Amino acid sequence: MGQGQRESPPLSLTLGSALLATEFVVPADLPSHASEGITAQTRSGHVSTLRLLQDIIEEHNLEEMELSTAVVTALERAKETLMWRWNSLSTRYGQTLGAFARLEQYCTQATPLTSWSLKTRPTFTDAMRFVTKQCLAEKPSQAVPVTLIMMNRLLADLRTTDSALHAFGVLVWRSTQRTGCVAQLLRRYVELSADGSILITLAVGKSVTARKERYVLSSFVDPTSKAYEALAAYLSSVTDPDAQLFPHSNLYQRKQWGARLRDALRKVEPTCGARSFRRGSLIALAALGTPTDVMLHWSGHTNVRQLAHYLSGYRHDTGLMM
């Protein structure tokens, strides 16, 4: 070990604050065999989970907790705030386990954190075992899709109460994209024309990671509608082209845009969830007779079978947004 460097303390003696002392990034200089050992999407999930844990530990003042306890507590808070299903929480536990085993790779500070095995910490393993049991007991189900009627009722409520969340809802619905991708849009990535056409550029987010490139979607909002009027007003209020369209300072706050939209939807239809927007908008697109290759471009699915499963089981009303 080089002069001036020191080993990180063992996990049992480490506090939650240890995660706040560095940034985490996907490494670009790994040997090729190591780089190909796990997918880029998996590594991106690891780093995303580490950043989310940083945000929650700081926001909920968990810095003085023993680290594994802080991690479990942070994941509990995330489930409560973001209304994750047990399956989603189980995925985050798996990502956390993988991320901690590779901390040395993802850490950017001069003296990197030691990679730790959370499997040695009973607080984490007991919590993960409980989550796994809850996950197995949870009935798997497709998200109940949003219908046009539900969406119009939701947007009518938001127009008078929250202009930013209204604009967020319009773009989620008309783009068919995940709420997390829409929450990362910059002002210059959305172009609304007087004839109602919208060009939306997706430059970051899960869908971009999966496609390995940015992409552009062309959609439409009826230019005579109140939804168009409110969206145009909100877009005009954000004058800096490089500004976040939906402001947030960290990953945790970014995810709350989707959580807030879901909570507003549940006042209209309690059975709906976060994925209801994407599923409903894709079903509406399919009901218009959209060709399969175009559907795959919009959805980002890699094959027709995946898309068919996503759309299965529902007929859907169609029409332009009012």
Side-chain angles (χ1 to χ4, degrees):
M1 184 174 293
Q3 186 175 1
Q5 292 189 351
R6 60 180 178 80
E7 286 192 38
S8 299
L11 182 56
S12 60
L13 300 178
T14 304
L15 301 179
S17 56
L19 277 191
L20 306 184
T22 184
E23 290 186 25
F24 295 106
V25 298
V26 176
D29 56 352
L30 290 175
S32 60
H33 288 184
S35 179
E36 296 297 326
I38 59 176
T39 67
Q41 190 166 354
T42 298
R43 290 193 186 279
S44 179
H46 289 166
V47 171
S48 173
T49 296
L50 288 170
R51 291 173 179 171
L52 180 64
L53 289 172
Q54 285 180 313
D55 295 339
I56 300 173
I57 287 171
E58 184 173 25
E59 187 157 327
H60 291 280
N61 301 313
L62 308 180
E63 296 95 331
E64 298 305 313
M65 282 187 178
E66 183 271 328
L67 183 54
S68 64
T69 303
V71 166
V72 170
T73 304
L75 290 171
E76 287 180 0
R77 298 286 172 81
K79 184 183 187 305
E80 293 168 3
T81 304
L82 304 174
M83 297 294 288
W84 284 343
R85 291 170 59 87
W86 288 109
N87 184 62
S88 298
L89 182 58
S90 178
T91 298
R92 286 293 183 176
Y93 266 90
Q95 290 175 332
T96 301
L97 201 61
F100 267 67
R102 297 170 178 82
L103 280 179
E104 292 174 359
Q105 294 181 353
Y106 301 139
C107 185
T108 60
Q109 67 185 28
T111 305
L113 295 172
T114 299
S115 295
W116 287 303
S117 174
L118 285 169
K119 291 181 179 179
T120 66
R121 302 305 301 152
T123 300
F124 185 87
T125 55
D126 289 350
M128 192 169 184
R129 187 176 296 111
F130 170 76
V131 170
T132 300
K133 289 179 180 178
Q134 297 301 116
C135 191
L136 292 173
E138 185 176 57
K139 293 182 180 179
S141 62
Q142 287 275 35
V144 175
V146 173
T147 66
L148 181 65
I149 293 172
M150 292 179 199
M151 201 66 201
N152 283 339
R153 287 176 56 194
L154 170 64
L155 294 177
D157 290 343
L158 293 178
R159 267 197 301 275
T160 58
T161 58
D162 192 329
S163 60
L165 196 59
H166 174 274
F168 184 68
V170 172
L171 294 176
V172 166
W173 175 253
R174 299 313 295 175
S175 70
T176 75
Q177 300 304 293
R178 297 173 176 87
T179 56
C181 294
V182 175
Q184 296 182 72
L185 290 172
L186 301 182
R187 174 62 187 89
R188 59 189 165 90
Y189 291 156
V190 179
E191 300 176 33
L192 179 64
S193 300
D195 63 0
S197 60
I198 317 174
L199 287 179
I200 303 170
T201 300
L202 281 299
V204 290
K206 184 175 181 179
S207 295
V208 175
T209 301
R211 297 172 194 240
K212 299 180 180 179
E213 61 181 0
R214 67 171 59 192
Y215 57 102
V216 179
L217 298 173
S218 177
S219 190
F220 178 81
V221 176
D222 181 358
T224 65
S225 68
K226 293 180 179 179
Y228 175 91
E229 181 182 346
L231 177 61
Y234 182 75
L235 293 176
S236 297
S237 72
V238 184
T239 56
D240 182 354
D242 293 318
Q244 294 173 342
L245 201 50
F246 305 106
H248 56 272
S249 59
N250 57 46
L251 176 61
Y252 188 42
Q253 291 180 6
R254 188 178 80 211
K255 286 181 174 294
Q256 289 183 45
W257 279 98
R260 287 171 56 204
L261 189 64
R262 177 209 59 217
D263 291 346
L265 174 62
R266 283 180 172 166
K267 295 177 181 178
V268 174
E269 178 46 65
T271 62
C272 286
R275 291 177 297 167
S276 295
F277 295 101
R278 177 165 156 80
R279 188 162 188 237
S281 59
L282 284 171
I283 288 173
L285 193 64
L288 292 172
T290 306
T292 301
D293 59 333
V294 177
M295 287 294 303
L296 289 171
H297 173 69
W298 280 71
S299 70
H301 291 103
T302 57
N303 59 63
V304 175
R305 184 176 179 181
Q306 288 178 336
L307 177 63
H309 176 71
Y310 200 80
L311 302 180
S312 65
Y314 283 91
R315 299 182 63 182
H316 199 290
D317 55 337
T318 60
L320 299 180
M321 187 181 302
M322 299 177 66

